[in-house]
Amino acid sequence: MYVLQTRDMPESHTGNNLAEHLRKAIAEWGIAEKDPVIVTDNASNMTIAAEEAEFKCYAHTLNLAAQRALKITAVTRLLGRVRRIVSFFRRSTTANHMLKEKQRLLQLPEHKLMTDVVTRWNSAHDMLERFLEQQLAICATLLSSEVSKTEKDLCTLTESDVTFDVLEKPWYYYCMFTFMAARLATSCFLSS
């Protein structure tokens, strides 16, 4: 990402005035035919400026596409299972301790599991990425007798959460999520 120019703007920062400055900058740089995009903080004056200057907000478009992708049934189901497993590890000191042991034994990075945050779509990606990184240690821990004997919280997980079918095709779901987010972002961007 590059900053093409900065300019003093002593007049009021209304959407109309900002749009005029944006149009002038695009004309000066001769990039109108390149379909420029803008990243804003979604403040009302910036939203108006982007609309009037006929810009697409790339970050907003990407966020909307990602939110749609997160609502796909297979993705929702996968995220729900991963959340239940991560929550179990956060509640259970025994399981968390055993996870650290399995990470050392399997020579995996000793990272904590992550939970996604609804308002940050990329946190779902981060949660899945960490889950995949720790997949072997998670499975070994959940299937270990130490955890299954001592943890009453284990009953909060379904059989499919504990067994390997939750991990049946993790790369397929991960790639599908990433692909769908990118595809929706592109199609929303090009069609609007």
Side-chain angles (χ1 to χ4, degrees):
M1 185 179 314
Y2 300 96
V3 176
L4 293 178
Q5 71 182 165
T6 57
R7 188 178 276 173
D8 182 39
M9 190 173 163
E11 63 269 23
S12 178
H13 292 185
T14 65
N16 295 336
N17 290 340
L18 289 166
E20 187 57 34
H21 276 276
L22 289 170
R23 281 192 286 273
K24 284 179 185 176
I26 294 302
E28 286 174 23
W29 284 90
I31 58 173
E33 70 282 348
K34 297 191 184 281
D35 289 328
V37 295
I38 189 169
V39 178
T40 76
D41 59 1
N42 284 336
S44 61
N45 61 338
M46 289 304 297
T47 303
I48 291 167
E51 287 172 4
E52 284 191 23
E54 297 180 9
F55 275 85
K56 310 268 189 305
C57 176
Y58 185 74
H60 183 66
T61 303
L62 179 60
N63 184 50
L64 290 174
Q67 292 299 332
R68 284 188 206 160
L70 290 172
K71 290 180 177 142
I72 295 170
T73 305
V75 174
T76 303
R77 191 176 312 124
L78 173 72
L79 291 174
R81 284 180 169 183
V82 172
R83 274 187 213 109
R84 282 193 302 275
I85 292 169
V86 170
S87 294
F88 169 73
F89 279 96
R90 287 186 177 270
R91 284 189 317 269
S92 169
T93 54
T94 303
N96 200 28
H97 175 73
M98 184 61 58
L99 177 65
K100 289 177 186 175
E101 284 185 23
K102 299 296 183 186
Q103 288 170 330
R104 280 190 288 274
L105 182 70
L106 295 166
Q107 298 178 347
L108 292 172
E110 292 184 37
H111 293 150
K112 290 184 176 185
L113 298 179
M114 300 171 76
T115 305
D116 61 339
V117 179
V118 177
T119 56
R120 289 185 51 235
W121 65 266
N122 56 331
S123 68
H125 171 270
D126 295 342
M127 178 180 71
L128 289 176
E129 190 171 57
R130 180 62 54 84
F131 187 86
L132 291 171
E133 173 194 85
Q134 299 298 325
Q135 173 180 342
L136 292 174
I138 292 167
C139 287
T141 302
L142 290 175
L143 296 173
S144 72
S145 59
E146 295 91 341
V147 170
S148 61
K149 277 188 217 172
T150 60
E151 287 302 317
K152 64 180 190 275
D153 271 352
L154 196 58
C155 67
T156 62
L157 299 176
T158 67
E159 182 180 336
S160 62
D161 292 335
V162 177
T163 59
F164 285 93
D165 74 341
V166 71
L167 305 168
E168 182 175 294
K169 296 179 183 171
W171 284 108
Y172 168 76
Y173 287 114
Y174 177 78
C175 291
M176 181 183 74
F177 172 75
T178 305
F179 172 75
M180 290 301 291
R183 185 173 171 199
L184 286 169
T186 305
S187 66
C188 288
F189 180 74
L190 295 175
S191 66
S192 53

